[in-house]
Amino acid sequence: MSQLRFETADVAGVRFGVSPVWETVSSLWVLRDPIRNALHLPWIDRARTFVARPEVAVAVGPLRELTRPRAWLPDFLTPPPPGPDVEFEESLEQVRATPPAVVVRDLLATTPKRPLGPFGQALRTDPKAMLPALVTALRVWHDVAIAPDWPRMRALLEADIAHRGSQLAEGGAGLALAGLHPTVRWAGDRVVSDDPWRLDFHLGGRGIALNPGIFTPQRVLWNLLEDSPPGGTYPVRAVATLWEAAPAPPGDPLARVIGSGRAALLHLLDSAATTSDLARRTGMSAGNVSQHLAALHAAGLVSRVRQGRHVLYRGTGVAAVLLRASRGE
């Protein structure tokens, strides 16, 4: 069990963001263990073809060495996102700007039970000379394995953050923190996390940056060193929808009233989603989805809110009533 102790300023400093560099790094865990991550097999099948290319394997080698199974990641490799709408290059710049002393400190923190490999040892000995190879590895792996699917990934991550924002509005930081995962609970002035690490960490007024993770194991992973910005990554909601399309159910009564396309969208909008994500999941064009959403919004069946550069759509209470009635509930 771990505890994160909050002061008043820490509660005020709870924030959520998307971390492209986290998805880039953590995806290698999934690639190493496809049996445990069968949910991601469509992505794994594609990623295997990339890593089989000799030039990719060589370039990504330093990153693969540091993402060892059952070993801590060095914190500098996955810095907490500085804001809610971060691009990959911004995250990469955070890694590139890591002071050499921090690189050494974080590498030492990962090695109590698992010694570093050749690249890790060289990085610890001469961080300034070796860090560029690690930055290159991050960029190469992101470009070949993450970037093609990033729009759908980002849509899912931003929908999760919209959900956390609604929890903050409804019940404050305690509700949002307790809802991160079933292994986490809010205990008045602290987060209690059922995990094997036995951390007892005082945030000390710095707040905490949290990001949902697509390739995150089924628990919250904390980024907690005294001299690092506190952070945490939790499993994203609705990850099972990421690689599938979901049309309206066959014979859906609602489809006969409002049309199959609009009915399909309403069935998906119990959680927030972007136009591009809805297009991917339904097989409709983005233009067709936009037309349907405009009609549903005008009818009071869909709400919309801007999140950074994206607009998120979600079914309203009226839509929920229609869906329950069409199911005979």
Side-chain angles (χ1 to χ4, degrees), residues 15-20 80-87 90-91 150 154 157-159 161-162 209-212 306-310 312:
R15 55 204 183 275
F16 291 86
V18 170
S19 176
D85 197 24
V86 179
E87 296 296 335
E90 296 175 75
S91 295
W150 183 240
R154 181 156 208 141
L157 296 168
E158 289 179 340
I161 291 173
L210 299 163
N211 61 279
R306 179 165 291 280
Q307 181 83 35
R309 287 186 285 271
H310 304 279
L312 295 172

Side-chain angles (χ1 to χ4, degrees), residues 215-252:
F215 300 111
T216 302
Q218 288 306 304
R219 58 165 53 103
V220 181
L221 302 179
W222 305 108
N223 204 16
L224 301 174
L225 289 177
E226 290 298 337
D227 298 327
S228 298
T233 302
Y234 59 91
V236 70
R237 298 171 71 247
V239 69
T241 67
L242 184 58
W243 309 116
E244 65 182 22
D252 179 18

Side-chain angles (χ1 to χ4, degrees), residues 112-251:
K113 296 181 180 179
R114 300 289 302 279
L116 294 168
F119 176 80
Q121 293 175 15
L123 180 62
R124 186 178 62 191
T125 301
D126 193 349
K128 188 173 181 179
M130 302 305 295
L131 190 58
L134 185 57
V135 171
T136 297
L138 281 163
R139 175 176 279 113
V140 169
W141 186 241
H142 181 270
D143 288 350
V144 300
I146 302 300
D149 293 308
W150 183 240
R152 68 171 67 184
M153 291 180 180
R154 181 156 208 141
L156 186 69
L157 296 168
E158 289 179 340
D160 182 284
I161 291 173
H163 171 72
R164 307 300 167 185
S166 68
Q167 287 185 316
L168 282 168
E170 292 168 11
L175 178 63
L177 291 166
L180 294 179
H181 193 261
T183 59
V184 170
R185 60 189 182 277
W186 176 249
D189 63 348
R190 69 195 66 187
V191 165
V192 179
S193 175
D194 294 329
D195 59 45
W197 301 303
R198 300 180 182 177
L199 303 170
D200 194 344
F201 189 82
H202 292 257
L203 294 176
R206 292 177 292 170
I208 188 166
L210 299 163
N211 61 279
I214 289 168
F215 300 111
T216 302
Q218 288 306 304
R219 58 165 53 103
V220 181
L221 302 179
W222 305 108
N223 204 16
L224 301 174
L225 289 177
E226 290 298 337
D227 298 327
S228 298
T233 302
Y234 59 91
V236 70
R237 298 171 71 247
V239 69
T241 67
L242 184 58
W243 309 116
E244 65 182 22

Side-chain angles (χ1 to χ4, degrees), residues 76-77 79 92-104 106 127 131:
F76 78 86
L77 192 56
L92 199 62
E93 184 56 36
Q94 287 180 273
V95 177
R96 183 187 292 107
T98 307
V102 173
V103 173
V104 173
D106 288 358
L131 190 58

Side-chain angles (χ1 to χ4, degrees), residues 245-247 277-286 288-289:
D277 185 46
L278 291 168
R280 171 188 63 79
R281 294 169 64 186
T282 60
M284 291 187 277
S285 69
N288 200 7
V289 169

